[in-house]
Amino acid sequence: MAREVDANTAFERVQVIDSHTGGEPTRIVIDGGPELGTGNLAQRREVFRDQYDDFRSAVVNEPRGGDVWVGGLLCEPDHPDAVAGIIFFNNVGVLNMCGHGTIGLATSLAYLQRLAPGVHLIDTPVGVVTVTLHDRNRVTVTNVPSYRFRSDVMLNLGDFGVVRGDIAWGGNWFFLVKEHAEQVHPDNIARLTEFTQSIRLALSRDQVTGENGGEIDHIELFGPAEGQADSRSFVLCPGGAYDRSPCGTGTSAKLACLMADGIIDPGETWRQQSIIGSIFQARGEWDNDQVIPHITGTAYINAEATLIFDSADPFSMGISP
Ligand code: PYC
């Protein structure tokens, strides 16, 4: 996985597989990424964050990507039974975990014929997750244990009024709001973005965090679904883009809240619809006081490509938002 530089042309080449999961894109770096040493995935993510932020930006930001892209750096796993390790990142930094990205990863590895149908372990910075590859596109992620940390937290949003929400962990920290006056509909995306950004600002202003000071960098709103789903969501991601998929870690956090409230039982299926209409099926089981989420979704391959970093290009390492 050494970064390949051609001495004559100063072109650096990075091999990627692009996919989308329910409309949300994932770009997996399969070769040409930086060497991060031999620590566990959490330690290697710190090396990546501290030393290779230009590489992150080059892979997902314009001119090769855009605000909505999530990247994944394929790594050697640390866990002896895992088939792969992954470090996810987006337009502004590294992520803890990514559900749609893990579905995209499994589909990408299947496309490369590196993953057969069946159950496999994947190492991430926040723990080992399981992927079940049902066929070349359909994947279930058994995510990290998820839980509600606080319920009914009140925030004053100024012009948007007061909202109440739950704080839950699903591999990332979420603030989840189900009671609000907004239309969770694709025609209303600009306003939903403004509303959720005001929640993000209020969380930061009031120093409201997840457990151990974890930054709440994803905001989730819920509304009535269309068609065959239980709920529709709008998810604001850390870099200001909205998730086109129902958000795997967000659906895990939602599941933890639903089960804590007794709204769904262990094993019962919850169909979470995204703002653009794509659906994840979710079910959970209790493990002590945490929920083990199983999130099923579908991903498709879009491209198998070589990114070229030309040292003469002033925007080679990406345009940061
Ligand atoms: O699916 O977990 C997810 C996710 C996080 C950010 C974007 N998608």
Side-chain angles (χ1 to χ4, degrees):
M1 286 257 278
R3 297 173 80 179
E4 182 194 328
V5 180
D6 181 324
N8 297 318
T9 58
F11 287 165
E12 202 170 325
R13 292 182 172 78
V14 175
Q15 308 293 335
V16 299
I17 305 289
D18 288 354
S19 62
H20 78 89
T21 308
E24 180 79 350
T26 307
R27 174 166 286 164
I28 303 292
V29 175
I30 57 168
D31 201 12
E35 284 294 343
L36 305 177
T38 54
N40 62 34
L41 268 289
Q43 291 163 330
R44 279 183 265 164
R45 182 181 59 158
E46 284 186 21
V47 174
F48 184 63
R49 184 194 61 203
D50 296 343
Q51 297 178 27
Y52 296 101
D53 203 52
D54 58 344
F55 180 87
R56 173 197 61 73
S57 171
V59 170
V60 288
N61 281 333
E62 295 177 21
R64 298 179 191 85
D67 287 357
V68 69
W69 279 86
V70 168
L73 179 64
L74 188 61
C75 301
E76 286 300 318
D78 186 44
H79 190 288
D81 299 327
V83 292
I86 190 79
I87 295 170
F88 287 113
F89 49 95
N90 69 4
N91 55 335
V92 291
V94 292
L95 289 165
N96 292 307
M97 166 58 191
C98 182
H100 93 266
T102 306
I103 294 170
L105 168 66
T107 303
S108 298
L109 293 176
Y111 168 80
L112 293 168
Q113 299 190 330
R114 294 190 196 173
L115 203 69
V119 180
H120 310 274
L121 301 186
I122 306 283
D123 215 345
T124 84
V126 290
V128 176
V129 301
T130 302
V131 292
T132 304
L133 182 68
H134 302 289
D135 58 38
R136 65 184 176 156
N137 302 111
R138 191 118 181 109
V139 178
T140 297
V141 178
T142 299
N143 195 9
V144 294
S146 300
Y147 61 99
R148 178 160 68 184
F149 173 55
R150 289 177 64 192
S151 60
D152 207 25
V153 176
M154 196 182 84
L155 293 173
N156 189 336
L157 306 182
D159 288 349
F160 280 114
V162 169
V163 287
R164 293 173 181 278
D166 291 350
I167 299 171
W169 170 257
N172 292 300
W173 282 107
F174 287 82
F175 192 79
L176 304 93
V177 181
K178 58 181 184 211
E179 279 168 30
H180 52 80
E182 306 303 323
Q183 295 276 329
V184 181
H185 192 274
D187 293 343
N188 200 30
I189 283 173
R191 186 172 163 93
L192 293 172
T193 302
E194 213 187 321
F195 180 58
T196 47
Q197 271 169 339
S198 79
I199 294 176
R200 182 108 200 260
L201 283 174
L203 289 166
S204 154
R205 178 200 63 207
D206 296 351
Q207 298 180 355
V208 178
T209 67
E211 200 170 13
N212 300 319
E215 185 185 3
I216 304 170
D217 55 6
H218 292 73
I219 315 296
E220 219 172 351
L221 300 182
F222 298 93
E226 273 175 16
Q228 301 291 304
D230 296 295
S231 151
R232 179 174 236 168
S233 61
F234 175 87
V235 182
L236 181 77
C237 295
Y242 68 91
D243 197 332
R244 275 63 169 167
S245 85
C247 191
T249 51
T251 303
S252 301
K254 175 69 175 174
L255 208 59
C257 296
L258 289 165
M259 287 179 62
D261 286 334
I263 293 173
I264 62 167
D265 291 326
E268 197 177 329
T269 297
W270 178 264
R271 287 177 305 274
Q272 187 62 58
Q273 187 174 53
S274 76
I275 192 70
I276 67 160
S278 50
I279 291 178
F280 284 169
Q281 289 196 3
R283 66 192 159 76
E285 73 235 17
W286 286 110
D287 179 12
N288 297 308
D289 51 359
Q290 300 190 333
V291 166
I292 307 296
H294 306 277
I295 310 292
T296 303
T298 304
Y300 298 92
I301 301 300
N302 289 326
E304 178 177 8
T306 303
L307 306 182
I308 309 279
F309 299 176
D310 180 346
S311 61
D313 176 359
F315 297 115
S316 173
M317 299 322 271
I319 305 165
S320 292

